[in-house]
Amino acid sequence: MISALTGHYHRNPTVMLWLMVGLFSSILLPWYGIEDGFFDLEWIIDGYPLDSDFAPLFFLLGQGEKLWLTPLIMPFFFAFFALTLPQRSSAFSWALIIGGGLGLIWMCGQGLSIGIRGWQIASLQELFGPLDERQFGMGYGAILYFASCLFLFSTGLAEQRGTMGDKFIIGMICFVVMLVGIFVFYPIIKLIILAFIDEQNAYSLSLFWEKISDSRIWSLGCVFAERRCGVAWNTVFMATIVGFLTTTLGLVFALLVTRTNLRYRRIFRAISIIPLITPPFVIGLAIILLFGLSGVVSTTISDIFGLTPTRWVYGLPGIVIAQTLAYTPIAFLVLIGVVESVSPSLEEAGLTLRANPSQVFQTVSLPLIRPGLANAFLLGFIESMADFGNPLVLGGNYDVLSTEIFFAIVGAQYDQGRAAVLALVLLSFTLAAFYIQRFWLGRKSYTTITGKGDSGYNMKLPPLLSRTVIFVGSSWAFFTIVIYSIIVYGSFVEMWGLDNSLTFKHYITAFSVSIEENGIQWTGSAWNSFSTTFMIAAIAAPLTAAIGLVTAYLLTRHNFRGKNAFEFGTMLSFAIPGTVIGVSYILAFNVPPIEITGTGIILIVSFVFRNMPVGVRSGVAAMSQIDKSLDESSLTLGAGSFHTFTKIVLPLLRPAILAALVFSFVRSMTAISAVIFLVSAEYDMATSYIIGRVENNDYGLAIAYSTTLIFLMLLVIILLQIMVGKTVTNRRQAGTETQGGLNVT
Amino acid sequence: MSLRPKKSAAATVTFRDVTKLYGKDTVAVDNISLTVEAGTLVTLLGPSGCGKTTTLRMIAGLEGVNKGNIFIDDEDITNMPASERDVSMVFQSYALFPHKTVIENVAYGLHYSGLIKSAIPVKAKEGLSLVGLEHLAERYPSELSGGQQQRVAVARALVLEPQVLLFDEPLSNLDAKLRRSVREEIRELQQKLGLTVVYVTHDQEEALAVSDKIIVMNKGKIAQIGSPHELYEKPTDLFVANFIGESNILDCMITSVTDKTVEVSVGGKIFNIPAQHIKKGPAKLAIRPEHISFHNAQKKDGFSGSILSATYVGAKTEYQVETKAGKLFVMVASTERLRDVNTKINLGLSPDKMLLFND
Ligand SMILES: Nc1ncnc2c1ncn2[C@@H]1O[C@H](COP(=O)(O)OP(=O)(O)O)[C@@H](O)[C@H]1O
Ligand SMILES: [Mg+2]
């Protein structure tokens, strides 16, 4: 308004800002990444600004170096030009769109085609001849420049849309799209490309076909002959069993907690949740301590019956038991929501229509829960496929995709191509499951018909079913308790199975501290990875929450073209197994333009984008509860969207923010599958350190460390819980909840 | 037309000293006794939270009883499970099964009623045609409008030819236009089929319109039972006088009571009104707004006051008048001349329309 009144004296402040940022970054900041690390500042006294390693863009060009960067000046001209034009004119917006767009395209183009060894793409080399210069990953200058182009572009887009456009909203959309593009899609694309490349760096379809049709992947030998099946079938088989078991047990627990009169059913809720904060493979460890060669159960049975212990648990049985324990809570969380959302009045209507309780359960309750069951099954299926730790610890000869991928990369074979192909196979399975879950089930789930709700209670289970549910649930809960007791107890045992005396040895080895003259010495072997893990989790959590909530805000409060694709893109990383992320990240990010392998940044980034869907989910759930008129009223009072978001919406979102924080924190502390590819000597993570101990048969230390992690996370969660306070939901007003697409992982 | 083996005439519902507690000390229904005659439509009327739904749910068997007994005809059904009672209910939210089509919804109860298989579709269609929705049989509830959903819910309950049919605020999810016609349809069906219906509402106008008999409830107790006319003209307590229709409630003093008349003093005026059951001393006087009229001339027996506000609402005009006895709400036919705010006015109160209640 003001600028319109006072004519051309007041320039568009957003354009001014991003133009200044762009100029600042190209005149003052080192263009390329500093080799000593992102946060190292030694370059200031080390030849800056002329040394080409540290020179800003303009200094590079001024000295005649890296001349392919020259077109990057164009956006500045366009932005200056735009500032001379009247605002709201279409020329103004087009100048920004073209200028910013040029900058973005050229940045990507040159970054992807010129790397450490000159031309990256063979055909370009033929076209332009060899290049004797090379370039490294993007540094402060390049990153900020990129951002400034992005926001000039988005401002242009916002202006195009006239009054409907909002610079902040469109800027945010562009920003999120860019991040998801770079950190979710780009690595996957790299992975796909790699699957098609032969040793000579040439594309080869036939080679791809050869690799993908490998009988080691697809053989059905175990069905038709006395041979082994391919990894793909092994994986599908395992995931199907686990999906089925977790769903069944999840339903049992959900019914037990909500539909029986069992006195202590709340305890079951707590018990069934603990595995969520456990690194999944720790359960695998406990299974070994119980059923392994020197496990308690095995040795006891062999003592009594005089049998020699076998290795039966190493392989499919062990993996299935461990994964079922680990992933039942996910099914439980999904299904408890679904079971509770079955409107009591529907069941009561059934009863008044002369159906007895078990008939009502079969004809009303169960059909209404069914989409939730399928949902839970698919989640278990995806989790099981993506799991890496348990197959690694317990797999024995039973090969699955995630471990095969790992061994293809780190093992003696070192075959990136094979890893890429296996990763694609795994990815297509999980994506298919994800697709089914979202699109097929999304349509099938029954939304409750609107209308003022009746009061009423959900029906208790018919007696026989109730007894079955209590029996199965209690047995499983008992088993869970045994597992955790074993974990805690095992951490105090000298050498499991051989020397069962109790000791603090493992804790001391891991976490000893000595006080010397020059201060505290963290002498324990675990401190390094422990502090790294804590730091990385602590940085990743708020970032995850932030990007998740911003995305949720965009999704719930704004309509824009491509919104569905946008949503799908942001939720996609949920379906990408950690192993695939790990492989694709090292493929994508150990070469320019983004060189971050071996840093802490790559770990943080991988966590943020893996956990983003949960942030989005909880954000969307929370925001759809907040009445839209609330922030609309603030908008009409003259506050811009940015102000609305920070002053009105954010404070109301505290619970969602904390949920996202907790989840992201826990996940960062417990994840292993992606991490194991991305850790480095400098940035080792707790889980990969523990896995390393396990591989050296140092179970004591591994378990002691895991126990510490579990208790630490319990502590963190309890603290956060106290901070938020418990949310009380009114059970008598069930009618309004929705069911279905809840993703808890 | 009944294909059911069981006898199924409309039945009488009787409550004998029934009490319902939630938890230890929330008394939702407090020692009530009532009778719903066979073939009549009886309304449970009262403000929100007074225990209407609870009473209804006890008839359906969805809520246990803490004390007392419930009978259908002569059978004590207090402890009979819901599915065995010959009672159907139309829920406030309709509670249609979202995973079943309209016809499947209607047929649902028939499957559990001991009918022969082949009779079920026939009966279900019959039920749907009662509410005029045969053409929507294959739709899912989510594909129906609110009014249509409501009819399906009614049909689903009706086809069972229950001894008692229950409605919990059946109009509350409909828009205002539909309400009048739907309540008339319900009443018509009830009379045509001679059903026993217990109907819950908090809307007194709705209750007056559809009921044979109204049971007014207040705080878990029955305040009064009577025909619409009785409740309107002869409320037996202040709550009913105020809840059914609108009343002006004034403080008054009963100065003498004889066989023929009661002398009452209000706002400095003395009225002699026909005998009522009342004791001497301070009391409350209720008079309906349409029983107060404007006097033009300087009559002596009226209240003088000044007009605070005037609201034209079509056929009637509503006035607030400040008098010595307090603020009075007066309703006058709009055919009378409109009076301005602040006009001094004389009010005439007809003594035979005054109702007196001891505090
Ligand atoms: N399930 C319940 N638990 C606790 N209190 C209840 C429950 N259902 C009803 N009440 C209480 O009992 C009283 C009567 O409720 P209800 O019968 O639903 O009232 P109405 O239908 O007349 O509005 C209210 O005070 C209500 O709060
Ligand atoms: Mg009610």
Side-chain angles (χ1 to χ4, degrees):
Chain A
M1 280 314 241
I2 295 173
S3 54
L5 290 176
T6 51
H8 58 278
Y9 295 108
H10 281 268
R11 303 302 183 189
N12 184 316
T14 320
V15 176
M16 293 283 276
L17 171 72
W18 290 111
L19 179 58
M20 298 313 285
V21 169
L23 286 171
F24 169 78
S25 61
S26 9
I27 296 173
L28 285 177
L29 295 178
W31 185 255
Y32 289 113
I34 310 295
E35 231 172 311
D36 303 323
F38 195 79
F39 300 104
D40 190 285
L41 290 179
E42 220 167 275
W43 51 270
I44 297 178
I45 49 163
D46 208 12
Y48 170 83
L50 295 179
D51 186 309
S52 69
D53 280 353
F54 309 129
L57 176 63
F58 282 5
F59 284 86
L60 285 172
L61 298 178
Q63 299 177 83
E65 290 177 76
K66 327 271 183 196
L67 289 176
W68 62 83
L69 299 176
T70 318
L72 296 178
I73 303 173
M74 295 302 288
F76 298 134
F77 288 119
F78 276 96
F80 273 122
F81 176 60
L83 285 176
T84 66
L85 297 168
Q87 293 192 47
R88 309 244 181 283
S89 70
S90 101
F92 173 77
S93 60
W94 276 114
L96 292 176
I97 293 176
I98 295 173
L102 264 182
L104 293 176
I105 292 172
W106 195 262
M107 275 297 276
C108 296
Q110 59 85 22
L112 293 174
S113 23
I114 302 173
I116 307 180
R117 293 192 218 95
W119 290 113
Q120 303 245 50
I121 297 169
S123 52
L124 285 175
Q125 172 135 353
E126 276 164 33
L127 203 62
F128 295 105
L131 196 71
D132 32 347
E133 277 186 299
R134 48 213 203 109
Q135 65 178 352
F136 307 106
M138 293 163 67
Y140 313 109
I143 293 171
L144 261 188
Y145 172 89
F146 195 74
S148 95
C149 287
L150 181 70
F151 289 113
L152 286 174
F153 178 79
S154 72
T155 311
L157 274 187
E159 292 292 334
Q160 274 273 295
R161 297 187 49 184
T163 47
M164 289 293 291
D166 183 306
K167 276 169 252 162
F168 176 70
I169 296 304
I170 295 190
M172 274 309 163
I173 294 172
C174 290
F175 185 61
V176 173
V177 167
M178 189 57 71
L179 287 178
V180 170
I182 292 175
F183 293 113
V184 178
F185 285 91
Y186 170 60
I188 298 296
I189 292 168
K190 271 279 207 190
L191 185 77
I192 295 173
I193 292 176
L194 190 77
F196 285 92
I197 282 181
D198 63 13
E199 286 91 58
Q200 278 77 48
N201 241 354
Y203 291 98
S204 162
L205 246 175
S206 60
L207 186 72
F208 172 75
W209 180 246
E210 195 180 304
K211 280 192 280 191
I212 195 122
S213 56
D214 191 342
S215 74
R216 281 181 299 171
I217 304 181
W218 300 107
S219 155
L220 277 171
C222 58
V223 183
F224 300 112
E226 286 286 298
R227 276 178 288 124
R228 288 162 76 182
C229 270
V231 271
W233 295 125
N234 277 351
T235 312
V236 171
F237 188 54
M238 166 189 79
T240 309
I241 299 179
V242 171
F244 178 75
L245 288 176
T246 53
T247 307
T248 312
L249 286 167
L251 180 63
V252 163
F253 272 105
L255 291 175
L256 182 92
V257 171
T258 58
R259 298 297 184 93
T260 64
N261 288 319
L262 197 65
R263 178 87 62 80
Y264 299 109
R265 51 190 199 275
R266 300 205 156 197
I267 297 176
F268 284 89
R269 213 175 189 133
I271 291 174
S272 60
I273 292 303
I274 303 177
L276 278 184
I277 57 163
T278 314
F281 59 86
V282 173
I283 295 173
L285 282 183
I287 300 283
I288 293 180
L289 299 187
L290 277 176
F291 303 113
L293 273 184
S294 44
V296 199
V297 177
S298 319
T299 47
T300 318
I301 289 180
S302 70
D303 284 352
I304 296 173
F305 299 104
L307 304 164
T308 34
T310 63
R311 297 179 57 84
W312 69 272
V313 79
Y314 297 92
L316 187 62
I319 306 179
V320 166
I321 299 174
Q323 289 187 343
T324 305
L325 270 161
Y327 301 128
T328 295
I330 294 172
F332 169 67
L333 285 184
V334 171
L335 290 173
I336 197 166
V338 175
V339 168
E340 285 190 328
S341 75
V342 171
S343 165
S345 58
L346 291 179
E347 289 169 339
E348 291 184 339
L351 291 177
T352 61
L353 294 168
R354 298 178 184 156
N356 67 33
S358 45
Q359 288 163 334
V360 170
F361 186 78
Q362 272 173 40
T363 56
V364 178
S365 322
L366 212 50
L368 292 175
I369 296 170
R370 202 168 286 144
L373 289 177
N375 195 355
F377 173 83
L378 288 169
L379 291 179
F381 184 86
I382 292 178
E383 286 291 340
S384 164
M385 283 214 151
D387 184 25
F388 169 78
N390 285 313
L392 187 71
V393 171
L394 275 170
N397 288 330
Y398 195 82
D399 299 328
V400 294
L401 285 165
S402 59
T403 49
E404 281 297 281
I405 294 168
F406 178 68
F407 290 124
I409 286 260
V410 302
Q413 345 173 4
Y414 194 73
D415 185 349
Q416 281 196 344
R418 178 169 155 77
V421 168
L422 290 170
L424 282 185
V425 173
L426 179 56
L427 184 62
S428 36
F429 282 141
T430 52
L431 280 185
F434 177 66
Y435 182 83
I436 294 173
Q437 190 233 357
R438 278 189 71 77
F439 290 92
W440 183 64
L441 288 181
R443 253 181 262 127
K444 283 221 74 157
S445 68
Y446 305 106
T447 41
T448 15
I449 300 168
T450 51
K452 249 184 255 170
D454 290 280
S455 52
Y457 323 97
N458 280 120
M459 198 181 62
K460 296 293 173 197
L461 292 178
L464 183 65
L465 191 57
S466 175
R467 255 173 271 139
T468 317
V469 157
I470 290 177
F471 175 73
V472 175
S474 312
S475 315
W476 193 252
F478 175 74
F479 188 46
T480 310
I481 292 173
V482 168
I483 291 284
Y484 277 88
S485 314
I486 285 288
I487 292 170
V488 175
Y489 181 73
S491 69
F492 293 105
V493 170
E494 178 82 33
M495 181 83 119
W496 193 267
L498 296 178
D499 177 357
N500 286 334
S501 52
L502 295 179
T503 171
F504 280 109
K505 186 178 97 181
H506 309 304
Y507 285 97
I508 293 169
T509 321
F511 295 108
S512 63
V513 174
S514 66
I515 297 166
E516 289 165 20
E517 337 155 3
N518 44 358
I520 303 175
Q521 293 291 311
W522 307 91
T523 43
S525 62
W527 282 120
N528 178 27
S529 60
F530 185 78
S531 60
T532 309
T533 306
F534 207 86
M535 182 187 76
I536 294 215
I539 297 175
L543 291 176
T544 312
I547 189 167
L549 290 180
V550 167
T551 309
Y553 176 70
L554 296 174
L555 284 173
T556 48
R557 295 300 151 105
H558 295 277
N559 267 318
F560 47 91
R561 230 179 303 153
K563 184 167 155 177
N564 285 339
F566 179 78
E567 187 187 3
F568 186 71
T570 57
M571 299 306 294
L572 183 67
S573 63
F574 167 74
I576 307 178
T579 330
V580 176
I581 296 214
V583 178
S584 65
Y585 267 41
I586 34 175
L587 295 178
F589 299 130
N590 69 352
V591 289
I594 303 173
E595 256 186 301
I596 48 173
T597 41
T599 65
I601 295 174
I602 198 168
L603 288 165
I604 296 173
V605 167
S606 80
F607 286 138
V608 169
F609 290 93
R610 277 207 79 191
N611 299 332
M612 177 175 172
V614 177
V616 176
R617 273 281 151 183
S618 50
V620 166
M623 283 196 212
S624 21
Q625 313 232 304
I626 299 171
D627 194 8
K628 199 170 179 175
S629 58
L630 241 174
D631 50 307
E632 270 170 1
S633 71
S634 160
L635 273 179
T636 50
L637 289 175
S641 290
F642 177 74
H643 191 259
T644 314
F645 185 71
T646 53
K647 289 280 153 56
I648 312 284
V649 182
L650 266 190
L652 291 169
L653 286 180
R654 247 178 37 142
I657 295 174
L658 277 154
L661 283 179
V662 172
F663 179 85
S664 161
F665 186 80
V666 167
R667 266 275 167 140
S668 311
M669 301 275 286
T670 57
I672 176 73
S673 49
V675 162
I676 201 144
F677 293 90
L678 305 177
V679 288
S680 49
E682 196 183 342
Y683 293 99
D684 198 5
M685 297 285 282
T687 46
S688 70
Y689 179 83
I690 295 173
I691 283 273
R693 295 293 88 210
V694 174
E695 294 196 311
N696 289 336
N697 284 325
D698 192 354
Y699 289 143
L701 184 62
I703 294 173
Y705 198 164
S706 308
T707 312
T708 315
L709 281 184
I710 294 171
F711 278 105
L712 181 79
M713 277 179 292
L714 267 182
L715 198 72
V716 170
I717 289 176
I718 291 170
L719 279 181
L720 284 170
Q721 188 84 339
I722 292 171
M723 278 165 60
V724 216
K726 258 194 103 62
T727 46
V728 188
T729 49
N730 187 349
R731 288 268 296 102
R732 276 197 94 194
Q733 281 162 4
T736 53
E737 288 154 46
T738 54
Q739 65 181 63
L742 170 78
N743 283 326
V744 276
T745 71
Chain B
M1 82 174 210
S2 175
L3 298 166
R4 280 187 61 217
K6 215 168 129 189
K7 47 92 217 212
S8 177
T12 310
V13 180
T14 312
F15 272 49
R16 195 176 293 158
D17 305 326
V18 173
T19 296
K20 169 72 190 173
L21 305 173
Y22 286 113
K24 284 231 165 59
D25 36 38
T26 316
V27 186
V29 169
D30 192 358
N31 198 27
I32 64 171
S33 299
L34 58 88
T35 305
V36 178
E37 300 293 347
T40 61
L41 193 156
V42 172
T43 307
L44 294 173
L45 174 66
S48 175
C50 71
K52 308 178 297 286
T53 298
T54 306
T55 308
L56 202 68
R57 288 166 57 83
M58 286 192 292
I59 304 177
L62 296 173
E63 212 74 73
V65 174
N66 291 84
K67 216 177 101 276
N69 297 79
I70 303 176
F71 300 86
I72 290 187
D73 281 345
D74 296 326
E75 189 179 5
D76 184 343
I77 55 149
T78 315
N79 295 315
M80 188 188 274
S83 49
E84 285 163 35
R85 298 188 187 191
D86 195 7
V87 173
S88 296
M89 178 156 167
V90 176
F91 287 77
Q92 193 172 0
S93 61
Y94 316 142
L96 296 181
F97 304 127
H99 58 297
K100 293 183 182 292
T101 59
V102 165
I103 193 77
E104 284 167 352
N105 264 283
V106 176
Y108 185 88
L110 297 171
H111 286 287
Y112 305 105
S113 302
L115 280 179
I116 37 169
K117 264 245 154 63
S118 58
I120 294 176
V122 183
K123 284 284 288 188
K125 275 207 199 87
E126 247 174 57
L128 260 190
S129 65
L130 268 180
V131 295
L133 286 183
E134 310 92 306
H135 58 293
L136 298 179
E138 299 308 321
R139 296 251 188 114
Y140 281 91
S142 57
E143 299 162 341
L144 302 181
S145 72
Q148 291 167 337
Q149 289 175 11
Q150 214 251 5
R151 286 158 192 239
V152 176
V154 172
R156 185 176 69 175
L158 269 183
V159 288
L160 300 181
E161 294 165 23
Q163 288 178 296
V164 183
L165 183 56
L166 310 174
F167 287 89
D168 190 1
E169 311 229 1
L171 311 182
S172 64
N173 284 319
L174 299 176
D175 43 55
K177 281 219 174 116
L178 265 178
R179 285 189 192 164
R180 184 178 288 264
S181 64
V182 170
R183 85 185 181 205
E184 272 156 22
E185 276 172 44
I186 290 177
R187 177 63 162 163
E188 240 168 63
L189 270 175
Q190 181 265 330
Q191 287 179 329
K192 189 169 87 188
L193 305 177
L195 303 167
T196 306
V197 169
V198 183
Y199 185 109
V200 163
T201 179
H202 64 266
D203 179 347
Q204 45 103 7
E205 187 201 324
E206 189 181 327
L208 293 175
V210 297
S211 323
D212 290 312
K213 201 157 84 177
I214 298 176
I215 299 173
V216 183
M217 293 183 69
N218 184 26
K219 296 185 184 146
K221 292 199 166 78
I222 293 179
Q224 188 175 353
I225 303 182
S227 69
H229 188 261
E230 276 166 355
L231 288 177
Y232 193 83
E233 301 292 336
K234 301 223 160 40
T236 54
D237 79 6
L238 201 57
F239 171 79
V240 179
N242 207 16
F243 192 76
I244 310 264
E246 270 164 305
S247 285
N248 291 292
I249 312 280
L250 305 173
D251 288 317
C252 64
M253 181 63 79
I254 311 293
T255 45
S256 89
V257 181
T258 68
D259 287 350
K260 292 257 170 59
T261 59
V262 178
E263 189 181 79
V264 54
S265 136
V266 191
K269 299 266 176 205
I270 307 283
F271 295 92
N272 275 302
I273 64 181
Q276 290 188 19
H277 185 74
I278 190 84
K279 289 195 288 272
K280 259 190 176 175
K284 288 271 192 293
L285 183 154
I287 183 154
R288 301 210 180 267
E290 65 269 28
H291 295 146
I292 305 178
S293 55
F294 288 164
H295 291 309
N296 288 329
Q298 299 287 322
K299 272 201 175 176
K300 280 181 221 139
D301 63 337
F303 276 142
S304 59
S306 86
I307 295 181
L308 289 175
S309 70
T311 316
Y312 173 78
V313 290
K316 294 270 167 71
T317 305
E318 301 173 355
Y319 295 90
Q320 298 275 357
V321 183
E322 184 73 63
T323 68
K324 268 196 204 137
K327 234 182 267 174
L328 287 180
F329 176 51
V330 181
M331 220 145 58
V332 176
S334 294
T335 46
E336 281 195 35
R337 144 176 91 83
L338 200 69
R339 325 232 170 189
D340 293 330
V341 173
N342 289 333
T343 317
K344 291 273 180 278
I345 201 88
N346 254 351
L347 297 177
L349 285 67
S350 21
D352 53 335
K353 298 289 185 192
M354 291 179 178
L355 297 165
L356 297 173
F357 304 100
N358 281 115
D359 280 335

